[in-house]
Amino acid sequence: MRVMLLGSPGVGKGTQAKFLCEQYHIPQISTGNILRAAIQSGSELGVMAKSYSDRGELVPDEVVCSIVKERLAETDCRTGFLLDGFPRTIPQAEALLTIGVILDYVVVLEAPIDEIVVRLTGRRFHLTSGRTYHVLFDQPKVPGLDDVTGEPLVQRDDDKEDVVRNRLQVYERQTAPLIDFYRQQAAKGKVNIAFVSGIGDIDEVKANILKILSK
Ligand code: AP5
Ligand code: MG
């Protein structure tokens, strides 16, 4: 199972990725999580990535492409993987093709912009694991604490409303064109593309994705 989740910031990629990776026993490759870990560690990569992500801009293609290339070469990716947040530009998608990575499914998650803003501004995050919650829609067992470790949840720096608005514009400009890119790949029989509504209950969205992937 080699699957990619495509959709705007806050549509639910990370939330659904967690379920799908458990279901199919595949690793979640989230460039956002990898870059946040680098930022947390204070490495050179992290300092550079923070200067982009704090403004809601994308990190340069060559940087993320080399991260993903290395990650996909690890042994746990041999039986499959889930890409969450990569590729998000045409050059990134082309780089995947160049290194010979074939995807089985591109699942496009969709939700209206007003819903997205509410989701992102209410999101809470467990920094070490990437586990995600929402103050209204997906509450932890104890408010403000991660269910597994009991550690405090934080708000992502890029989930402030002005940065969220810029991320959505960046998505429209740089990432949304990938939908047509993968439509064309699908027309050539190179991948399957499916559109799933990201609206509604988290379990309902999950069931709809599983229905498609199990075909
Ligand atoms: P990244 O971490 O990938 O952020 P993003 O794409 O902006 O996506 P999000 O993680 O914000 O949203 P999501 O779709 O995962 O939603 P979630 O499941 O959390 O990237 C961050 C930054 O890193 C980028 O801005 C860029 O700088 C850099 N970067 C990363 N990848 C890059 C790349 N390939 N190239 C260049 N730069 C890159 O859900 C959101 C909230 O909604 C949560 O609170 C959740 O609980 C809630 N929720 C989920 N589903 C539902 C539902 N059905 N109903 C109600 N609430 C829901
Ligand atoms: Mg995410």
Side-chain angles (χ1 to χ4, degrees):
M1 178 64 73
R2 290 158 300 191
V3 52
M4 173 208 172
L5 296 183
L6 178 58
S8 83
V11 75
K13 300 182 298 293
T15 303
Q16 297 300 330
K18 192 181 80 177
F19 300 129
L20 297 173
C21 289
E22 279 166 13
Q23 176 82 20
Y24 292 104
H25 308 287
I26 50 176
Q28 173 189 1
I29 301 177
S30 158
T31 39
N33 286 351
I34 294 170
L35 293 171
R36 273 184 293 281
I39 291 172
Q40 187 67 1
S41 76
S43 67
E44 204 178 313
L45 167 66
V47 172
M48 188 272 285
K50 188 168 163 54
S51 70
Y52 291 92
S53 70
D54 276 359
R55 290 180 284 126
E57 297 291 329
L58 297 182
V59 171
D61 288 334
E62 52 280 16
V63 176
V64 274
C65 287
S66 92
I67 290 173
V68 172
K69 191 177 168 189
E70 263 179 43
R71 181 64 189 88
L72 287 175
E74 288 179 36
T75 48
D76 62 339
C77 293
R78 277 195 198 143
T79 52
F81 50 82
L82 181 147
L83 295 178
D84 161 13
F86 181 94
R88 60 214 268 167
T89 64
I90 300 280
Q92 290 179 20
E94 284 168 345
L96 263 191
L97 290 177
T98 306
I99 60 170
V101 172
I102 293 164
L103 296 171
D104 300 309
Y105 277 97
V106 172
V107 176
V108 184
L109 280 173
E110 302 174 295
I113 207 160
D114 291 349
E115 168 84 12
I116 295 288
V117 173
V118 174
R119 284 188 189 182
L120 289 179
T121 47
R123 172 162 61 185
R124 296 296 179 270
F125 201 68
H126 180 240
L127 208 52
T128 355
S129 68
R131 273 184 290 279
T132 295
Y133 304 84
H134 193 280
V135 290
L136 301 174
F137 310 135
D138 191 10
Q139 298 172 344
K141 290 179 191 132
V142 179
L145 300 181
D146 176 48
D147 286 351
V148 178
T149 62
E151 289 167 355
L153 301 175
V154 295
Q155 186 168 25
R156 270 172 48 178
D157 287 340
D158 57 349
D159 278 348
K160 293 172 201 126
E161 191 162 344
D162 54 333
V163 184
V164 163
R165 300 260 172 211
N166 190 43
R167 282 161 66 200
L168 293 172
Q169 283 175 14
V170 167
Y171 172 78
E172 284 306 323
R173 209 169 50 235
Q174 293 185 263
T175 308
L178 283 178
I179 297 175
D180 267 347
F181 178 93
Y182 283 112
R183 268 209 184 99
Q184 285 164 20
Q185 293 287 312
K188 293 180 202 159
K190 294 191 171 168
V191 70
N192 295 293
I193 188 167
F195 293 81
V196 177
S197 169
I199 288 296
D201 198 67
I202 289 173
D203 286 336
E204 213 177 295
V205 177
K206 174 184 164 187
N208 288 335
I209 300 177
L210 286 176
K211 215 184 292 169
I212 286 163
L213 295 184
S214 59
K215 269 182 199 161

